[in-house]
Amino acid sequence: MVPHDLEVEEEEEEEEEDDEIVRQEKESCNPTEVRMSQIVMPCHCNHRQELSVGQLLKWMDSTACLSAERHAGSPCVTASMDDIDFEHTISVGQVVNIQAKVNRAFNTSMEVGIQVSCEDLFQDRHWRVCHAFATFVTQRTNTGQKVTLRPIAPQTHKEKVEYSIAAERRRVRMVHDDIIKDLLSSGSIQRYNAVQAEKTKVESVELVLPPHANHQVIHLIYLGFVLTWDFVPVRSTRRSRLCQAHPTLRTIDMFTFRGPSKVGDRLLLRAIVNNAFKSSLEVGVRAEAYQEEGPNRHINSAFMTFEVLDKSGKPCALPRIRPEPVEGERRFQEAIARKKIRLDRKYIISCKQSEAPLSVPWDPRNQVYLSYNNVSALKMLAAKKSWRLSTEKDQVCLYTLEQKSMLSIRVEKVVDVPAATAFALLAELSNRTLWDTHYKECELIQRVDEDDFIYRVVTPSVLQGKILQDFILLTSVRKPCSPGDPYVIALRSVTLPTHPPFEKCNRGEVLCAGFTILETENKKSLIRYYNQASPEVLPYISNDVAGLSSSFYHTFCACSEYLIQHKLQFSEPFFFNDL
């Protein structure tokens, strides 16, 4: 078979797998799924006859809340919303389609995935507008107790992937504020001959009425209505004071709700331009609720990024902002930190695995997103459905996966060792030299935290003229979030300025590799090793796949013997994280 025919066959197999996944999605009936379709009327739009983002977010919040309540069986409220990137605007007469379903339920909270698309009925066109992840919590019972949620049972391939990665997204949410603080500690403000930020400040007061509340009456559908109320004065002020044009909303940053607002509250809205970059600006909106008597309650703060487009649709250059002392400077610096976080997410998390560079520069400030990418990439590789059994010997199975000229392998075996013990032994990568002959040296360079480590690994080289090759590996380890989840040990290459390549040593790259460890019957473990082949490891993999060697078999047998011999070192039981 000629190479072209091989490529065609691979593409046909991939299309068949995609078609099978789509068929399963259509046939499945997720009990938490809620769909909403709305035709855009003039009353839903701004002065440019485009759907108000506030109105869209109100619909998204309502749809997601119904999905959460369908699963919980009790009233739910929005706890937080992840970043939202708006890819397209929506005009009068077009139809908005919103789909929401619960991806995963933790102890008392759940993640709801939201997909928004648009269609033009008269031109038969469909396009994606945005997607988002919202976290909902149940309201306490009359006795003040929290409601414990039943777990989600994912059915389709897509649902299983979302279920698995939801734990990583939750981890990122929990450290978001800490990331901002770390970034602020290393920044400085440059002084410009610029527009005073004070000139962009706007305040307004709104009365919360029954139409502004959700179906529970007591909780304001905050984000949608706040933006609806705030957009007109804020946008007109920015236009006259800074932009001299109509800005277009591009993103809303991750935010957390601090508390509810009830019917009868007065809502004080404050907006100001925190920072202006070359072609975008960040606007902060703070909402406080109060009654006729009593102090103001901080309900929420939201941060929105706008662009100003010229007549040809290209971003315009914007004047700089000069912040006011103390609080203004803090907001100015935080805007820079949030911009960096958005870039990290865009180029580390959001990109497809095939588009990601093999090695990403290590920076403590992007640690969370590199770790997220490391673990989620391994989970997504493990979730692929086209694995094929290549060889089997003494219960050691070698599987292969070929997609888009990328060869991946999976080696697995059941070992008579508890999963927590196997995880503790394999997570210590420096011990791998005791059982893996490919690991000549393994040096711990940096202990980032209790879950992330950076190692330098030295192995024999596969290139002529080179005796050795080395790898700089980020190792991310994860314990199960709940029973049934595997332990995860994920590996990927990073670059460190302190450890450049050696002249006589070839620097290798690892795109995606690692272990998953799952508890089985009788306290045994199903251990699976994955490796997405890079040029530096492909000769080893291809030899085993072709049957020319059995190095993976011998290595895995050595791994099993190592685990069995050392399992008595770890006798303490492992308890699941209290979620």
Side-chain angles (χ1 to χ4, degrees):
M1 186 176 292
V2 297
H4 175 71
D5 293 335
L6 286 171
E7 293 177 1
V8 171
E9 183 178 312
E10 289 178 5
E11 292 176 358
E12 290 177 349
E13 290 176 354
E14 292 172 15
E15 290 176 358
E16 290 176 0
E17 180 185 356
D18 293 340
D19 292 341
E20 176 64 18
I21 292 174
V22 171
R23 185 188 62 79
Q24 291 180 2
E25 297 288 339
K26 290 181 178 180
E27 291 180 356
S28 69
C29 182
N30 189 314
T32 70
E33 184 173 327
V34 175
R35 294 176 181 266
M36 174 191 291
S37 293
Q38 295 277 357
I39 189 165
V40 179
M41 306 292 287
C43 61
H44 301 144
C45 297
N46 57 25
H47 58 285
R48 290 191 288 178
Q49 299 300 297
E50 295 174 350
L51 176 63
S52 164
V53 174
Q55 182 64 57
L56 174 59
L57 290 170
K58 176 194 170 186
W59 290 339
M60 292 169 62
D61 189 38
S62 299
T63 309
C65 185
L66 292 177
S67 175
E69 291 181 342
R70 178 173 285 180
H71 177 70
S74 61
C76 297
V77 294
T78 315
S80 67
M81 185 82 76
D82 288 3
D83 295 0
I84 306 175
D85 293 293
F86 298 97
E87 301 177 17
H88 299 281
T89 57
I90 305 171
S91 302
V92 172
Q94 294 175 338
V95 177
V96 179
N97 298 311
I98 304 174
Q99 176 189 6
K101 59 182 176 181
V102 178
N103 290 332
R104 182 163 186 165
F106 300 96
N107 227 12
T108 58
S109 66
M110 65 196 108
E111 179 191 277
V112 179
I114 310 167
Q115 297 282 347
V116 181
S117 61
C118 183
E119 63 176 309
D120 191 315
L121 298 177
F122 307 117
Q123 298 184 13
D124 193 26
R125 292 176 56 238
H126 296 75
W127 60 92
R128 192 176 76 167
V129 176
C130 66
H131 72 277
F133 299 100
T135 301
F136 282 81
V137 295
T138 57
Q139 292 188 8
R140 293 177 182 266
T141 63
N142 295 333
T143 59
Q145 294 180 338
K146 292 183 177 181
V147 177
T148 302
L149 298 169
R150 67 182 188 275
I152 286 287
Q155 301 297 322
T156 67
H157 175 265
K158 184 177 180 181
E159 288 175 356
K160 291 176 182 178
V161 172
E162 291 293 348
Y163 176 91
S164 180
I165 301 179
E168 283 303 300
R169 286 192 289 262
R170 182 176 185 269
R171 181 186 180 89
V172 172
R173 294 181 198 111
M174 296 175 69
V175 299
H176 179 261
D177 291 342
D178 293 334
I179 297 172
I180 295 288
K181 292 177 183 177
D182 291 342
L183 291 173
L184 291 178
S185 63
S186 60
S188 61
I189 296 180
Q190 297 179 353
R191 301 294 177 180
Y192 299 98
N193 182 16
V195 177
Q196 293 182 3
E198 280 291 304
K199 292 184 178 181
T200 69
K201 183 181 293 184
V202 178
E203 290 188 6
S204 65
V205 178
E206 302 291 343
L207 176 63
V208 182
L209 298 173
H212 305 143
N214 62 11
H215 54 285
Q216 300 165 24
V217 182
I218 63 171
H219 186 268
L220 173 71
I221 303 178
Y222 160 71
L223 189 60
F225 273 112
V226 166
L227 291 182
T228 301
W229 282 329
D230 197 56
F231 255 24
V232 174
V234 173
R235 292 178 74 146
S236 62
T237 301
R238 284 196 302 270
R239 180 173 69 250
S240 60
R241 297 178 182 174
L242 184 66
C243 300
Q244 305 299 321
H246 297 289
T248 300
L249 181 64
R250 290 305 185 197
T251 65
I252 298 178
D253 273 37
M254 179 188 297
F255 58 87
T256 303
F257 291 96
R258 297 174 178 267
S261 178
K262 301 179 180 180
V263 171
D265 281 347
R266 278 70 172 173
L267 213 60
L268 173 62
L269 305 171
R270 294 191 177 101
I272 190 171
V273 176
N274 291 332
N275 205 333
F277 305 101
K278 185 175 181 180
S279 58
S280 65
L281 55 89
E282 182 193 275
V283 176
V285 180
R286 178 185 173 96
E288 298 176 356
Y290 64 93
Q291 298 282 345
E292 293 182 0
E293 298 180 357
N296 289 11
R297 309 188 311 274
H298 183 193
I299 301 300
N300 193 263
S301 293
F303 303 97
M304 300 167 283
T305 302
F306 292 82
E307 283 184 347
V308 179
L309 307 178
D310 58 22
K311 294 181 180 180
S312 61
K314 295 181 180 180
C316 300
L318 298 174
R320 294 282 189 172
I321 283 290
R322 184 168 71 250
E324 59 185 344
V326 189
E327 282 300 302
E329 292 178 351
R330 176 186 62 80
R331 292 193 297 267
F332 185 92
Q333 287 294 95
E334 287 179 349
I336 296 174
R338 281 186 288 270
K339 181 180 180 182
K340 185 202 181 307
I341 289 174
R342 285 193 297 273
L343 291 173
D344 286 342
R345 286 179 179 157
K346 181 177 181 180
Y347 292 107
I348 296 176
I349 292 180
S350 300
C351 60
K352 296 180 180 178
Q353 198 60 36
S354 59
E355 298 172 351
L358 290 184
S359 185
V360 177
W362 168 257
D363 185 337
R365 294 174 297 179
N366 65 13
Q367 171 215 337
V368 172
Y369 309 110
L370 280 172
S371 179
Y372 172 96
N373 177 271
N374 194 13
V375 175
S376 61
L378 181 61
K379 288 184 174 182
M380 292 180 72
L381 179 62
K384 296 290 186 181
K385 301 185 71 67
S386 298
W387 291 100
R388 294 182 177 180
L389 180 62
S390 177
T391 59
E392 181 178 4
K393 184 178 180 180
D394 297 335
Q395 299 180 336
V396 177
C397 300
L398 173 63
Y399 293 82
T400 59
L401 174 69
E402 296 183 56
Q403 284 188 317
K404 296 182 179 178
S405 302
M406 178 72 71
L407 175 64
S408 302
I409 61 103
R410 183 182 90 202
V411 188
E412 67 180 40
K413 183 183 181 182
V414 175
V415 181
D416 189 12
V417 176
T421 301
F423 171 75
L425 290 168
L426 294 177
E428 184 59 54
L429 200 65
S430 57
N431 290 337
R432 191 162 168 175
T433 55
L434 301 176
W435 55 268
D436 191 344
T437 57
H438 298 102
Y439 272 50
K440 299 300 182 184
E441 299 177 23
C442 187
E443 170 195 2
L444 177 62
I445 297 176
Q446 183 178 346
R447 180 187 175 93
V448 181
D449 56 28
E450 61 181 8
D451 295 321
D452 293 289
F453 311 84
I454 300 179
Y455 291 90
R456 177 177 178 264
V457 176
V458 179
T459 69
S461 178
V462 297
L463 300 180
Q464 294 183 356
K466 299 281 187 177
I467 300 176
L468 299 172
Q469 63 183 1
D470 67 345
F471 302 81
I472 305 298
L473 299 180
L474 170 64
T475 303
S476 303
V477 299
R478 298 289 189 272
K479 296 177 181 178
C481 283
S482 57
D485 286 352
Y487 293 83
V488 176
I489 304 170
L491 307 172
R492 69 157 298 159
S493 287
V494 294
T495 58
L496 280 176
T498 56
H499 289 74
F502 293 95
E503 183 178 352
K504 295 184 179 180
C505 191
N506 177 54
R507 174 57 53 86
E509 303 282 356
V510 172
L511 176 58
C512 178
F515 295 89
T516 63
I517 306 167
L518 190 64
E519 190 85 43
T520 61
E521 297 178 353
N522 302 321
K523 294 185 177 181
K524 295 182 180 181
S525 302
L526 173 59
I527 300 178
R528 288 170 170 163
Y529 173 75
Y530 297 86
N531 198 313
Q532 200 168 44
S534 60
E536 291 76 21
V537 299
L538 185 59
Y540 299 117
I541 293 176
S542 59
N543 284 342
D544 275 57
V545 172
L548 299 178
S549 70
S550 54
S551 62
F552 273 100
Y553 165 75
H554 294 298
T555 300
F556 225 67
C557 288
C559 176
S560 301
E561 293 175 3
Y562 166 78
L563 294 175
I564 293 173
Q565 291 173 3
H566 292 79
K567 68 178 180 179
L568 296 180
Q569 296 179 4
F570 298 88
S571 58
E572 296 183 2
F574 168 75
F575 297 96
F576 294 108
N577 295 332
D578 184 13
L579 299 176

